[in-house]
Amino acid sequence: MELINKTALVTGASGGIGEELARQLAERGAHLVLVARRADALERLRREILAAHPGREVTVIPADLAEADAGREVVDALRAAGRPVDLLVNNAGIGSHGAFAEQDPAAVARLIQLNITSLVDLTGRLLPGMLERGCGGVVNVASTAAFQPVPSMAVYAASKAFVLSFTEALWGETRGTGVRVLTLCPGATETAFFTNTGKEFLTRGRQTPAEVARTALNALDGHAPTAVSGLANRLSSAGYRFLPRAAMIRFSQDAVRATHAA
């Protein structure tokens, strides 16, 4: 996908995969709109990118996409700034770890709002303009957790399964329109995800955010609906389809079993 002088909006850009995607998009010539809760982190990244790439335009929109109606506020800010979006990267997300019956309902609602509702809302608000222009792209970040149920991460895995199904369906709907739609499925990655859950698990084989971002941008140049980052992750994601459902659930449960509190 051609990115020179195009505008890419990246949610969850204040750290981890989103921050690295922003850097690599800037390297490939894109202007940026950075969205996340932490305005200070976004401003730091904005200054860093402009220092490395003086010709880029970088707009910061602080927003908490775990709040209802945040997507509308982001799009209103885009319109006020006169910034049409050529590439939407829905990266913002949050995880949890623990038995569902012990989860705080308010925290579960925020997870669903962020991982599903705001992602769908932003896609629905920005995709029509891309289709009208006959060009653009949407990258929705799911997870390797999307390929199977995951006890102790039940709502998180289900939310990512939604993202995978939703985005692959959009890929089918937009074929031949000039709009590139992609699901990115990282495995365990060295980000604040694990710190935020308060648990330590999947400690081996984690990728770096830079590796995941490269997978996403390379996949944008292809045609497949889904990109799984990392060979081991691709093999395990494909292998799950051959397991009986009960065995799949037990295997995924063992894989994410917490070793100790962080």
Side-chain angles (χ1 to χ4, degrees), residues 27-58:
E27 288 172 4
R28 290 183 59 163
H31 305 302
L32 296 167
V33 177
L34 308 177
V35 179
R37 288 184 304 162
R38 295 185 294 149
D40 57 339
L42 294 180
E43 286 292 347
R44 173 190 55 77
L45 180 58
R46 177 180 178 275
R47 290 193 297 270
E48 175 189 322
I49 289 172
L50 290 177
H53 308 284
R56 303 294 180 267
E57 297 176 9
V58 183

Side-chain angles (χ1 to χ4, degrees), residues 65-66 90 92-94 108-124 140-141 154-164 166-167:
L65 292 170
N90 279 308
I94 193 169
V108 171
R110 284 179 61 82
L111 185 154
I112 293 170
Q113 175 70 42
L114 179 59
N115 292 10
I116 297 178
T117 308
S118 287
L119 178 147
V120 171
D121 185 39
L122 279 174
T123 304
N140 288 334
V141 179
V155 179
Y156 173 77
S159 75
K160 294 304 184 178
F162 176 94
V163 172
L164 176 61
F166 170 68
T167 311

